[in-house]
Amino acid sequence: MTALTILLVLVLLLVVFGLLFRLQILTSIFSGTFTRDIGMSNSVNAILMLVFLVVGGAWFAYSFVENFNKMNPPIASVHGHQMERMFWITMAVIGVAFAITQTLLFVYSYKYQHKDGRRAYFFAHNNKIEVIWTVIPAIVMAALIFAGWKAWTRITGPAPKNSVVVEVMGKQFNWLVRYPGRDMKLGVVNYRMIDAVNEFGFDLSDKSALDDFTTNEIHVPKGVPVLIKIRSRDVLHAVYMPQFRVQMYAVPGMPTRFWFTPTTTTDEMRARLGNPKFNYELACNQVCGGSHFAMKATIIVDEPDDYQNWYAAQQSFSQKNPEVLAALKQKPKSLVSQSVEPTEAKEVAPAPLAASY
């Protein structure tokens, strides 16, 4: 306690001495006796401003060109082209504005560096300039927002009736994937039933859940709309599929959704990239904890016939885990009746592709 008191006293003394020194300078300025030698440092800093503008701009341009392909993976969805176009239009607008403002900032810093005897011109106000730099950005921003709103409402709105439905649930630190069975409905889930085996919380007292199945990787058919129903079991995650230009938050307690149509199979993309080991990826791009880096899942885009064969070969969760169904029958009815179904899960899942062909 004594040491802390001494430390506080020393800090207060430094503050007092600083204020006294500042007061002395202000007194000298008002009395006209204060002078300061600018020296060469001001000119050096002004020149360095221009050097930073040129060198920094050149380095940015080189880095952008060198890493362009890494930042822009090939597009493999129908809506991805529109999203890409909107992105680059936005980047062009803000890029031009950024280049102009930063160039003026550094050039003006050099041009209007301090010189003895030169006084700054005081420009009080100009209504025309105020209107121009307020109205033009407002119009541009409104146009960009309107275009984005139209695209966003379409891809997050009702999916086509022939969509394949996949439910994805994020948890620390992996993705759980569920498909509806041949009854074309996702069954209800109950968080009270979640355990090491029943990670999704299947409530097998609901007949619609009996034929639902889970997988370690996501399979979707080429050329068919895919509706991704998204949930989180614990913290905020994000469903991110870069090649499909898909990104949507997985929010605890708030189901979200996103639909897209894949246009390129995994084999076609491997041939296109010349990389036989390529796989589409579902990643979490929200830092969700210590093992966030491990939240990845493989996405396989199949030809429609291959997808049908894969779908038909899947076993339901209840078939793989008969002990879960047996244990449920032994539980008190009062517990079973408390099953909770998320809002999104109440929707009837459209027919799987295997049933629509």
Side-chain angles (χ1 to χ4, degrees):
M1 188 65 183
T2 302
L4 179 60
T5 303
I6 294 174
L7 180 62
L8 290 174
V9 171
L10 292 175
V11 171
L12 290 173
L13 286 175
L14 289 174
V15 172
V16 170
F17 285 133
L19 291 174
L20 290 175
F21 179 72
R22 180 65 177 168
L23 182 61
Q24 181 184 5
I25 293 177
L26 292 174
T27 303
S28 300
I29 291 174
F30 282 112
S31 63
T33 60
F34 178 81
T35 58
R36 186 195 308 184
D37 184 18
I38 300 299
M40 290 292 296
S41 61
N42 193 65
S43 297
V44 171
N45 285 333
I47 294 172
L48 288 176
M49 290 278 192
L50 291 182
V51 172
F52 180 81
L53 173 65
V54 175
V55 175
W59 179 255
F60 168 79
Y62 168 77
S63 177
F64 181 83
V65 173
E66 185 70 14
N67 296 283
F68 182 82
N69 290 332
K70 295 179 182 178
M71 297 186 296
N72 293 271
I75 300 172
S77 67
V78 173
H79 81 275
H81 295 280
Q82 182 181 6
M83 301 298 289
E84 191 81 348
R85 183 168 58 253
M86 288 174 52
F87 174 80
W88 285 115
I89 290 174
T90 303
M91 289 297 294
V93 171
I94 63 177
V96 169
F98 176 83
I100 293 174
T101 54
Q102 296 305 302
T103 300
L104 292 176
L105 172 65
F106 290 104
V107 169
Y108 278 23
S109 298
Y110 173 81
K111 183 177 181 179
Y112 296 107
Q113 61 182 284
H114 172 81
K115 292 183 179 179
D116 292 334
R118 185 171 70 179
R119 295 180 63 85
Y121 173 70
F122 179 70
F123 190 82
H125 185 69
N126 187 297
N127 287 332
K128 182 182 292 186
I129 293 178
E130 292 281 354
V131 169
I132 290 173
W133 71 32
T134 300
V135 172
I136 293 179
I139 294 174
V140 173
M141 290 299 296
L144 293 175
I145 291 172
F146 179 72
W149 171 78
K150 285 182 61 179
W152 185 250
T153 53
R154 183 171 59 255
I155 57 183
T156 58
K161 293 183 178 180
N162 67 327
S163 297
V164 169
V165 176
V166 184
E167 185 173 39
V168 175
M169 181 163 68
K171 74 175 185 68
Q172 296 174 311
F173 293 96
N174 67 299
W175 295 101
L176 305 176
V177 183
R178 177 169 71 138
Y179 286 79
R182 296 189 176 279
D183 64 353
M184 301 174 290
K185 296 181 181 179
L186 284 171
V188 299
V189 292
N190 184 351
Y191 69 91
R192 295 180 181 87
M193 296 181 178
I194 293 175
D195 56 31
V197 177
N198 189 4
E199 290 192 290
F200 235 108
F202 282 96
D203 179 3
L204 298 181
S205 65
D206 174 31
K207 294 182 179 180
S208 298
L210 292 175
D211 60 354
D212 292 354
F213 63 89
T214 61
T215 63
N216 293 324
E217 58 186 17
I218 301 172
H219 280 253
V220 294
K222 172 185 174 181
V224 178
V226 178
L227 172 61
I228 305 291
K229 294 190 173 185
I230 304 166
R231 293 194 290 127
S232 172
R233 209 175 80 173
D234 37 46
V235 301
L236 183 69
H237 300 286
V239 170
Y240 179 51
M241 306 176 183
Q243 286 83 9
F244 304 117
R245 300 305 191 263
V246 171
Q247 176 170 303
M248 176 62 76
Y249 288 123
V251 185
M254 188 180 77
T256 53
R257 57 190 292 152
F258 199 112
W259 73 269
F260 68 100
T261 303
T263 57
T264 309
T265 67
T266 298
D267 289 337
E268 289 172 342
M269 186 59 73
R270 287 173 178 173
R272 176 179 172 183
L273 298 177
N275 179 9
K277 296 182 178 180
F278 169 83
N279 278 312
Y280 294 113
E281 182 180 87
L282 162 59
C284 175
N285 67 349
Q286 293 293 314
V287 179
C288 55
S291 297
H292 158 72
F293 64 90
M295 285 203 64
K296 297 179 181 180
T298 299
I299 305 170
I300 305 295
V301 180
D302 297 313
E303 292 289 352
D305 290 341
D306 294 333
Y307 175 79
Q308 291 183 60
N309 295 333
W310 172 85
Y311 183 89
Q314 301 307 304
Q315 283 187 308
S316 68
F317 174 82
S318 61
Q319 289 176 317
K320 290 182 178 179
N321 303 277
E323 70 280 3
V324 176
L325 182 58
L328 178 69
K329 293 178 179 180
Q330 298 175 3
K331 290 185 178 181
K333 292 183 179 180
S334 59
L335 177 61
V336 174
S337 64
Q338 294 176 0
S339 298
V340 179
E341 181 182 7
T343 302
E344 284 289 317
K346 290 181 180 178
E347 298 179 357
V348 176
L353 185 62
S356 63
Y357 271 70

